[in-house]
Amino acid sequence: MLARGCIVKSKVDDLAIWGAPPAFKQRLHVGRPNIGNREHLLERIGDLLDRRWLTNDGPFLQEFEKRISERLGVKHCIAVCNATVGLEIAIKATGLAGEVIVPSFTFIATAHALQWQQITPVFCDINPATHNLDPARVKDLITKRTTGIIGVHLWGRPCDVEALADIARRHKLKLLLDAAHAFACSHNGQMIGSFGNAELFSFHATKFLNTFEGGAVVTNDDELARKIRLLRNFGFAGYDIVNCLGTNGKMSEVSAAMGLTSLESLEKFVAANYRNYIEYRQQLADVPGISLLTFDEDEKCNYQYVVLEIDEHAMGITRDQLDDILWAENILSRRYFYPGCHRMEPYRTRYPQASLWLPETERLANKVLCLPTGTAMGSTEIKGICQLIQLIACESEAVKERMLKQPLRHNPLKSYFE
Ligand code: T4K
């Protein structure tokens, strides 16, 4: 259902941050789930209840894994309960230990999956043009304790897999790719999923294709796939044989049913995201201080994130001021991935100097703002959001001055639930 009904604002006094009614009655979320065909989902749920087979390598899970492998052209897909556990399993299966090089400009799960296993995440700076790991900086961070690199395809845009693979090969390191954002995206015509030793997708509710909670590890390596399957199921190698330390990383049948239903609508979800992206791009093109992250249209892409970079000098107000103003209007923009993993615990305490070697991460974490997209968003909402941003940019001097004088009315804790 679309969140119709937008109050058009034409002057600074109309802004909800000073107490006027918000532009949107219903809150607009960055991570509003896409829902496929309900009847198909409910039919599948009926089937699994009739079968009384709810989890543990059930028929829906097997079908889901097969569909993903075929779609991506990768030999093995091992579906998991969420991408964080999938990453932990992939890390263990590839034998990572000691130190692993990761970006700090990513969701905290990338770093936590390492630290959870007492492996040190070594934070590396990014290339500001791509928002992804800078291979030149990766090289500088390799020590005797380094065993691997985890690249992240942030926003679904591929990281420099060739350069990272080259470094990994030369230094005998493993390469994992956190592809949580990159399902159904390609790089040089090849689907993301068969790069590095293994890649990892998230199918969390907020991802453009969801299984409620869920994820998948994909690889072309037979032996690695065998290990990952073992680790996903407590280490069971047979009916009552456990021969290694495993965990419970299984995806349930109801999640796989949602996954199969979501896959049926994948093209529709991508089309909605693409339409939204084009509308934002057109309507924000001339706003001073705002640049919209673009995608390579020659590649396959899911367009699931609408990412702005705010230049506060050109726009006249800061990213955080814009974020506060939008929230008051019921537009729940997100400062992903502020402030960077290195400024979150336990890393902030352990590596208090990290910001010194992460200048680009620091800069970007203070500039990025994500806007709502997905099938819950239509032209009316996007037009309303863009008109507001245009108004704020045009009147930035007045807005800034008034923000200094007048305390904010809305809840600064930014809860989703009123
Ligand atoms: N690697 C990377 C690079 C990742 O980005 C992620 C996850 C992972 C690894 C780990 O994947 P998983 O283990 O989660 O499979 C959200 C997601 O929870 C997280 O999966 C995702 N990345 C991250 C980028 O976004 P939060 O903390 O921002 O979620 P939350 O609860 O604030 O929700 C976001 C927005 O979506 C809110 O406005 C509320 C709305 N929402 C959320 C849910 C769950 C809905 O409208 N409906 C819903 O059902 O992390």
Side-chain angles (χ1 to χ4, degrees):
M1 214 178 50
L2 298 178
R4 298 288 172 211
C6 166
I7 301 175
V8 178
K9 311 219 163 174
S10 54
K11 49 186 194 309
V12 173
D13 286 346
D14 294 342
L15 294 178
I17 200 155
W18 331 121
F24 295 95
K25 260 202 182 122
Q26 285 174 30
R27 304 187 127 194
L28 306 181
H29 297 265
V30 164
R32 209 55 162 170
N34 293 324
I35 315 281
N37 185 303
R38 274 170 205 242
E39 273 148 39
H40 291 184
L41 175 65
L42 294 175
E43 208 175 292
R44 287 190 170 104
I45 293 176
D47 285 353
L48 72 90
L49 294 178
D50 289 345
R51 259 199 303 268
R52 291 180 188 254
W53 196 275
L54 307 187
T55 185
N56 289 16
D57 220 11
F60 282 151
L61 176 107
Q62 291 182 25
E63 190 185 342
F64 184 57
E65 291 183 337
K66 189 165 166 274
R67 291 270 169 92
I68 293 180
S69 297
E70 285 168 358
R71 178 174 272 274
L72 303 182
V74 63
K75 264 171 107 178
H76 304 280
C77 167
I78 304 106
V80 285
C81 55
N82 62 59
T84 308
V85 169
L87 192 52
E88 286 167 14
I89 291 174
I91 287 167
K92 201 161 182 70
T94 40
L96 295 184
E99 293 175 1
V100 172
I101 298 169
V102 284
S104 170
F105 194 63
T106 176
F107 191 59
I108 195 68
T110 320
H112 276 1
L114 290 164
Q115 191 64 55
W116 197 253
Q117 303 181 66
Q118 283 74 52
I119 300 168
T120 303
V122 174
F123 294 119
C124 180
D125 214 359
I126 44 159
N127 175 341
T130 65
H131 295 194
N132 284 323
L133 266 186
D134 182 346
R137 301 279 77 76
V138 170
K139 281 187 207 149
D140 300 341
L141 296 171
I142 295 173
T143 70
K144 280 189 180 143
R145 280 171 47 78
T146 310
T147 58
I149 304 166
I150 302 182
V152 180
H153 304 303
L154 210 76
W155 320 125
R157 300 197 314 176
C159 62
D160 191 344
V161 281
E162 286 80 15
L164 294 177
D166 188 50
I167 297 171
R169 189 177 39 77
R170 283 200 221 178
H171 294 268
K172 297 192 169 49
L173 307 176
K174 302 288 185 197
L175 175 62
L176 292 180
L177 295 154
D178 178 339
H181 300 179
F183 186 67
C185 300
S186 68
H187 172 58
N188 290 339
Q190 186 179 337
M191 296 310 287
I192 301 271
S194 44
F195 297 102
N197 295 92
E199 302 207 59
L200 186 277
F201 298 111
S202 170
F203 302 129
H204 180 259
T206 56
K207 296 294 182 291
F208 91 104
L209 184 125
N210 85 84
T211 57
F212 301 121
E213 287 272 1
V217 188
V218 289
T219 180
N220 282 320
D221 180 331
D222 299 342
E223 180 51 21
L224 188 59
R226 193 192 61 79
K227 266 195 207 161
I228 291 169
R229 282 192 187 280
L230 266 183
L231 296 182
R232 177 183 68 172
N233 188 25
F234 310 99
F236 271 109
Y239 182 65
D240 50 12
I241 306 161
V242 171
N243 56 16
C244 66
L245 174 64
T247 185
N248 183 353
K250 289 168 285 152
M251 175 182 274
S252 72
E253 281 293 273
V254 76
S255 283
M258 181 65 162
L260 288 169
T261 311
S262 299
L263 277 177
E264 290 166 357
S265 297
L266 184 137
E267 274 73 28
K268 209 175 94 194
F269 299 157
V270 173
N273 286 344
Y274 182 65
R275 182 200 63 216
N276 294 344
Y277 161 74
I278 295 295
E279 289 203 24
Y280 275 119
R281 201 175 69 184
Q282 284 166 352
Q283 292 175 41
L284 295 175
D286 298 322
V287 181
I290 297 246
S291 50
L292 182 86
L293 188 102
T294 55
F295 295 91
D296 182 348
E297 301 208 15
D298 291 335
E299 297 287 351
K300 285 207 160 61
C301 183
N302 58 40
Y303 297 95
Q304 72 178 308
Y305 289 100
V306 171
V307 185
L308 302 185
E309 275 183 51
I310 318 291
D311 175 343
E312 62 178 84
H313 301 293
M315 190 177 183
I317 62 165
T318 66
R319 182 273 311 269
D320 290 353
Q321 286 172 325
L322 177 61
D323 188 43
D324 282 345
I325 296 169
L326 294 179
W327 271 67
E329 306 289 352
N330 275 340
I331 303 156
L332 309 194
S333 44
R334 293 300 298 253
R335 301 185 299 179
Y336 289 141
F337 287 100
Y338 176 83
C341 296
H342 67 290
R343 285 188 178 267
M344 292 177 166
E345 294 297 357
Y347 316 108
R348 183 174 55 183
T349 303
R350 284 184 195 191
Y351 318 112
Q353 306 291 318
S355 56
L356 295 178
W357 61 88
L358 298 169
E360 300 299 349
T361 301
E362 290 268 306
R363 256 193 289 278
L364 201 63
N366 288 301
K367 282 166 75 170
V368 164
L369 194 65
C370 294
L371 296 179
T373 185
T375 52
M377 293 287 293
S379 274
T380 317
E381 289 79 17
I382 294 176
K383 209 165 168 204
I385 294 175
C386 294
Q387 278 172 348
L388 265 167
I389 295 177
Q390 284 157 3
L391 171 70
I392 297 158
C394 271
E395 301 289 344
S396 61
E397 273 310 306
V399 172
K400 200 160 74 179
E401 208 173 296
R402 190 148 168 194
M403 280 184 106
L404 287 174
K405 280 193 205 141
Q406 196 168 330
L408 304 183
R409 285 277 197 93
H410 77 288
N411 177 4
L413 288 177
K414 294 191 168 156
S415 157
Y416 305 130
F417 306 104
E418 285 150 304

